[in-house]
Amino acid sequence: MDHRIILAVMVSLQVVNCTEAEVKPEVMTVKTLYTQGMNPKNAVHYLWTPVQHYRGMTFAVCPDVNLRPLVTQITGKGVITSVFLDGGTNPVYTACADGHFRFTMGIDKNGYLHIIGDMHGYSPWDGNYIDRYQRQSNMYWKSNKALDVRGGFTFCGGLNSATRLPGVEFGGDSRFFNDRNGELFYNSRVRAFKGSNLNGSEPFIAY
């Protein structure tokens, strides 16, 4: 079975006859912007925010069929550019084949892309990743250029780094959102506090 992510726009046209003050039925059209093969074990979901629209451009993040995270940019003129979130090849970084490890994206008011993903229960003591992502604070990247994926991305979730997001042991379901002033916010499930005689992380998680 071919699994693909399809980005499309829907345009609503409402025809109004001003002389008769009559509103006729809407005409809905759908235009496909982009398609990408994806691995169904780590695909898109409405609880995450893998697609963003900003200043006439569309951006998306989703692992490809080989689970390598791919970031795509589509201009208002339909020019498509796709780059790997992590361009490293020694070794190649691939995401976990599990829907809990999906990716989410946000765009700040200056146009920089922020991407988080592949970290269901991620913590500084997690050793299940390739070396450069083991035992960090969180799996978080930021674009090097505003509204331009061609500039690549920098990993910002290093252990105790100034750019990491606060919190410990992140849950997988997470999302970005902006307020009316364009300030970017991130929402995720994290460990609410440390230190307890209870086993497991579930009693301590909170949004």
Side-chain angles (χ1 to χ4, degrees), residues 77-178:
K77 295 182 179 180
V79 178
I80 299 172
T81 304
S82 296
V83 300
F84 290 117
L85 177 62
D86 179 339
T89 58
N90 189 26
V92 168
Y93 162 61
T94 56
C96 184
D98 185 327
H100 292 88
F101 292 77
R102 294 181 174 100
F103 285 79
T104 194
M105 176 195 296
I107 304 178
D108 65 33
K109 61 184 179 181
N110 295 316
Y112 287 89
L113 280 62
H114 300 254
I115 295 176
I116 284 181
D118 196 23
M119 61 173 195
H120 183 65
Y122 188 85
S123 62
W125 53 87
D126 199 324
N128 296 321
Y129 292 74
I130 59 175
D131 287 347
R132 62 181 174 272
Y133 294 136
Q134 283 189 25
R135 300 177 177 87
Q136 305 294 341
S137 288
N138 31 62
M139 297 290 280
Y140 167 41
W141 296 261
K142 181 181 177 182
S143 65
N144 295 321
K145 293 184 177 181
L147 300 177
D148 190 353
V149 301
R150 294 172 299 178
F153 293 81
T154 295
F155 180 65
C156 298
L159 184 64
N160 299 322
S161 69
T163 57
R164 76 189 190 284
L165 296 178
V168 176
E169 195 170 357
F170 285 77
D173 45 340
S174 59
R175 61 202 61 83
F176 285 98
F177 62 94
N178 300 82

Side-chain angles (χ1 to χ4, degrees), residues 10 13 17 21 25 30 38 49 54-55 57 72-73 82-83 90 93-94 139-140 145 147 149 153 157 170 179 189:
M10 180 174 290
L13 301 177
N17 187 329
V30 177
M38 65 181 183
T49 54
Y54 192 63
R55 297 182 185 176
M57 306 178 74
T72 297
Q73 169 184 315
S82 296
V83 300
N90 189 26
Y93 162 61
T94 56
M139 297 290 280
Y140 167 41
K145 293 184 177 181
L147 300 177
V149 301
F153 293 81
F170 285 77
D179 66 12
R189 193 176 63 184

Side-chain angles (χ1 to χ4, degrees), residues 32-83:
T32 299
L33 298 179
Y34 167 74
T35 63
Q36 174 197 320
M38 65 181 183
N39 192 310
K41 294 182 179 180
N42 188 333
V44 296
H45 191 277
Y46 67 89
L47 287 178
W48 285 256
T49 54
V51 179
Q52 295 289 342
H53 306 280
Y54 192 63
R55 297 182 185 176
M57 306 178 74
T58 301
F59 298 87
V61 57
C62 182
D64 64 13
V65 293
N66 297 313
L67 292 170
R68 195 171 181 186
L70 193 67
V71 187
T72 297
Q73 169 184 315
I74 307 168
T75 68
K77 295 182 179 180
V79 178
I80 299 172
T81 304
S82 296
V83 300

